Amino acid sequence: MTHNGSIDGNLIVHKKPDSKEIDTKIANQTSDQWAHLPECDPAKILINEKTVYAVDQSMNVVITDIKGNVLYGNPNIFDLTLYRPEDLIGKSTRTFNASFHSKEFFRDLWDTILSGKIWRGDIKNKRKDGKIIWVRLIITPLLDDSGSPYQFVGLKEDITEKKEMEFHLAQKDKQLSALTNNSYDIIGIMNKYGEISYLNPSFERILGFSALESIGSNLTEFIDDKVLAFEKGILHRIIDQPSEPILQQIRFTHKDGTIRWCDAAFTNYLADEHIQGIVFNLRDFTKQKEATDIVHHLANYDYLTGLPNRRHFENKLREALKNAKSNKHRVALLFLDLDGFKNINDSLGHEIGDGLLKEVADRINSVFHEGAFIGRIGGDEFSIIIPNMVDNEYLHALAESLVRSFSTPFNVEDYELNISASIGISIYPMAGKDMKTLLKNADAAMYQVKHDGKNHYQLYAPSMDQKRFNSLIIKNPITKALDEQQY
């Protein structure tokens, strides 16, 4: 025990020998002073003074008696604990007790070493200045001839920084788990093929599938089939743009078959050694979208017939005219007014009148193919856009079909109602090159039909403007006289 020091009472005074002194001691050893196999050269055996010195310099070593009283400590142990030799030698190892571990912990430790077995573990110690440190401790019993321990050799390694790092990592992991597990958004990780490796519990709350059963599935399996081909293209964009979030609104299918709309954010961390995947965040905005769709519908569609209202219709007409100008094709605008609707509405009531307008909207829809755009302009007036009109013959056939469709009576509640329609038509660019002019001229053509006997259609001609102007000149004096009761 005094290979590098001398005993003065219970105190070991340390003196660090230099390498020449160690080499001299080794050279002076006789072969019977070291335990070795007969065929081995003692100078080549590692367990020698030089090895002991190396261990002494690199490790924190403490030796105790059977009761745990300190018999020896190397310089490193004093540097680690800040105790001086006279503070420790002869004192119990309880001096290091940080009051952290349980009685059961120490009972297990003592049961192990008293049975002659090596104990290994991490333990908190208290330094002389009161600071708490973590050490990795190996306690090896030294056994007598009967196999009973009589001393213990303790090797300590300071792992305080490592433990603190582990604690901070564990803390961050718990914080991350708390954030993801309690998030209202879906948070997940997938590989470059879309296969899911992590999901938080919100996946089940939003889409109905448990996170556990969904891990290993492909994210595209949960996307609405109608947009699946489109959404698959997102993966290529994500892979091509590492670390740059890709934002997308995606329609998912709930486990019960209903649709869920999600704002999705994808970030490529495939090259990150810690993540090695694509992190995605899905926020359910289905209720907001439904509310927005309702507001949008109310703003753009007629509440009674479900057809586009005047505002929406005019926007569509502007768009059709813009495309027609770019592509050099024609657009037909049909303006339809019901003949005799006011009489039906006044005599049978607004409820029957509203029912008739719904039936008329359905009848008009049945005549036109998907390319046409139909709107209710107001009251009993409807308008139809035919973009990219092919020829006049096609237009005449379509207008005649529309007039004929009114020859069949309309059934509204218990009433069989007969009503006809007067239709005026203007064609871009001959009858006007802007929306206002086309609407005015289609209206003029419709009034010409009214004048000629109703229940027919008429294409706009410039002469109609003069006729209407003359009509207004004649009517204005009559109207004024009636107003002033000059009759």
Side-chain angles (χ1 to χ4, degrees):
M1 280 287 301
T2 59
H3 62 274
N4 66 346
S6 62
I7 298 178
D8 180 10
N10 290 326
L11 176 65
I12 293 182
V13 182
H14 298 277
K15 178 171 72 77
K16 294 184 179 180
D18 58 26
S19 60
K20 289 183 179 180
E21 183 181 350
I22 294 172
D23 292 338
T24 302
K25 286 184 178 182
I26 293 173
N28 293 334
Q29 296 290 335
T30 58
S31 62
D32 57 353
Q33 287 179 291
W34 293 97
H36 65 283
L37 294 175
E39 63 273 18
C40 293
D41 181 354
K44 295 181 181 179
I45 298 175
L46 294 179
I47 306 303
N48 54 33
E49 188 86 8
K50 201 166 188 176
T51 303
V52 172
Y53 174 74
V55 171
D56 203 30
Q57 296 303 303
S58 62
M59 298 294 294
N60 303 297
V61 182
V62 63
I63 299 177
T64 72
D65 62 17
I66 195 70
K67 294 181 180 180
N69 297 315
V70 178
L71 299 175
Y72 166 78
N74 73 341
N76 290 343
I77 200 70
F78 298 110
D79 292 340
L80 174 66
T81 63
L82 302 185
Y83 287 99
R84 294 175 299 174
E86 57 267 28
D87 296 327
L88 282 182
I89 302 302
K91 306 292 178 60
S92 171
T93 51
R94 284 193 295 272
T95 303
F96 303 129
N97 194 329
S99 301
F100 175 79
H101 302 283
S102 65
K103 291 181 180 179
E104 291 74 15
F105 176 87
F106 287 108
R107 187 180 297 119
D108 174 71
L109 184 155
W110 279 101
D111 287 346
T112 300
I113 61 177
L114 288 172
S115 68
K117 297 178 182 177
I118 296 174
W119 185 91
R120 293 179 175 86
D122 296 341
I123 186 169
K124 271 190 174 182
N125 279 180
K126 183 173 69 174
R127 296 193 321 186
K128 186 177 181 178
D129 63 358
K131 181 179 178 181
I132 304 300
I133 60 173
W134 274 99
V135 296
R136 183 149 292 163
L137 178 60
I138 301 175
I139 303 176
T140 304
L142 300 180
L143 308 179
D144 59 20
D145 293 340
S146 64
S148 299
Y150 65 93
Q151 286 181 355
F152 302 109
V153 177
L155 301 179
K156 293 186 177 186
E157 176 190 0
D158 185 5
I159 58 168
T160 306
E161 288 186 8
K162 184 177 181 181
K163 279 289 185 180
E164 287 177 351
M165 187 178 295
E166 287 177 355
F167 172 78
H168 289 308
L169 287 174
Q171 187 180 44
K172 286 184 179 179
D173 187 59
K174 286 183 179 180
Q175 290 172 342
L176 182 60
S177 296
L179 287 171
T180 57
N181 290 341
N182 295 292
S183 173
Y184 282 94
D185 297 345
I186 294 173
I187 299 172
I189 301 174
M190 64 184 183
N191 64 15
K192 64 180 180 179
Y193 304 108
E195 295 164 350
I196 301 167
S197 59
Y198 169 79
L199 283 171
N200 71 336
S202 289
F203 194 80
E204 182 170 10
R205 182 180 61 80
I206 293 175
L207 295 180
F209 301 91
S210 75
L212 208 58
E213 71 175 319
S214 303
I215 289 176
S217 304
N218 197 294
L219 185 64
T220 55
E221 295 175 25
F222 304 99
I223 296 175
D224 181 26
D225 286 338
K226 295 176 183 177
V227 292
L228 182 60
F230 170 74
E231 305 301 353
K232 274 187 174 178
I234 294 175
L235 279 174
H236 299 296
R237 290 168 53 204
I238 296 167
I239 292 168
D240 291 341
Q241 300 179 50
S243 300
E244 183 179 337
I246 301 295
L247 306 179
Q248 182 76 41
Q249 289 188 345
I250 302 180
R251 197 164 67 210
F252 287 88
T253 304
H254 191 276
K255 192 173 185 178
D256 63 10
T258 56
I259 296 300
R260 294 289 187 276
W261 280 93
C262 290
D263 275 324
F266 299 88
T267 308
N268 179 355
Y269 290 109
L270 290 167
D272 189 299
E273 61 178 339
H274 301 292
I275 300 175
Q276 296 181 346
I278 297 167
V279 176
F280 58 88
N281 183 292
L282 308 176
R283 175 167 294 179
D284 181 15
F285 73 103
T286 306
K287 289 183 179 179
Q288 295 93 317
K289 187 174 191 320
E290 288 173 350
T292 302
D293 288 346
I294 290 171
V295 172
H296 180 268
H297 192 274
L298 291 174
N300 291 280
Y301 291 85
D302 173 46
Y303 74 96
L304 182 63
T305 63
L307 291 174
N309 59 18
R310 186 183 190 96
R311 174 177 174 275
H312 188 21
F313 184 86
E314 288 182 353
N315 287 336
K316 195 70 176 179
L317 180 56
R318 287 190 189 95
E319 183 183 322
L321 294 177
K322 184 178 179 180
N323 290 336
K325 184 177 181 180
S326 299
N327 300 314
K328 295 183 168 47
H329 60 241
R330 294 184 294 170
V331 174
L333 176 65
L334 285 71
F335 193 88
L336 181 151
D337 184 86
L338 298 180
D339 301 324
F341 174 76
K342 188 175 184 303
N343 293 333
I344 293 174
N345 203 40
D346 291 345
S347 59
L348 299 179
H350 292 290
E351 187 175 341
I352 300 300
D354 288 348
L356 176 59
L357 290 173
K358 290 179 185 178
E359 293 297 319
V360 167
D362 291 341
R363 189 75 59 88
I364 296 173
N365 264 320
S366 68
V367 173
F368 292 91
H369 56 72
E370 293 181 359
F373 190 82
I374 306 165
R376 183 188 175 198
I377 304 304
D380 61 341
E381 297 175 337
F382 298 82
S383 197
I384 303 103
I385 302 169
I386 304 175
N388 196 16
M389 195 190 78
V390 180
D391 53 43
N392 287 354
E393 186 177 341
Y394 166 76
L395 179 61
H396 283 288
L398 203 56
E400 286 174 2
S401 296
L402 182 58
V403 171
R404 265 197 318 273
S405 70
F406 281 82
S407 62
T408 303
F410 294 88
N411 294 308
V412 181
E413 295 188 9
D414 296 330
Y415 296 94
E416 187 177 271
L417 305 174
N418 289 290
I419 196 168
S420 61
S422 297
I423 304 166
I425 305 172
S426 61
I427 301 174
Y428 169 88
M430 291 80 75
K433 296 183 179 180
D434 59 81
M435 181 188 71
K436 185 177 179 180
T437 305
L438 283 171
L439 284 170
K440 177 179 74 69
N441 290 340
D443 184 62
M446 183 272 294
Y447 272 103
Q448 183 65 48
V449 175
K450 293 275 190 185
H451 181 269
D452 293 342
K454 306 176 182 179
N455 192 26
H456 195 54
Y457 71 92
Q458 177 69 57
L459 268 66
Y460 168 78
S463 59
M464 294 176 185
D465 290 333
Q466 186 60 46
K467 288 181 180 179
R468 197 171 183 189
F469 177 73
N470 293 337
S471 174
L472 286 172
I473 292 174
I474 295 170
K475 285 181 180 179
N476 279 345
I478 296 173
T479 303
K480 184 177 180 183
L482 288 171
D483 289 341
E484 296 175 356
Q485 296 185 353
Q486 296 176 2
Y487 55 89

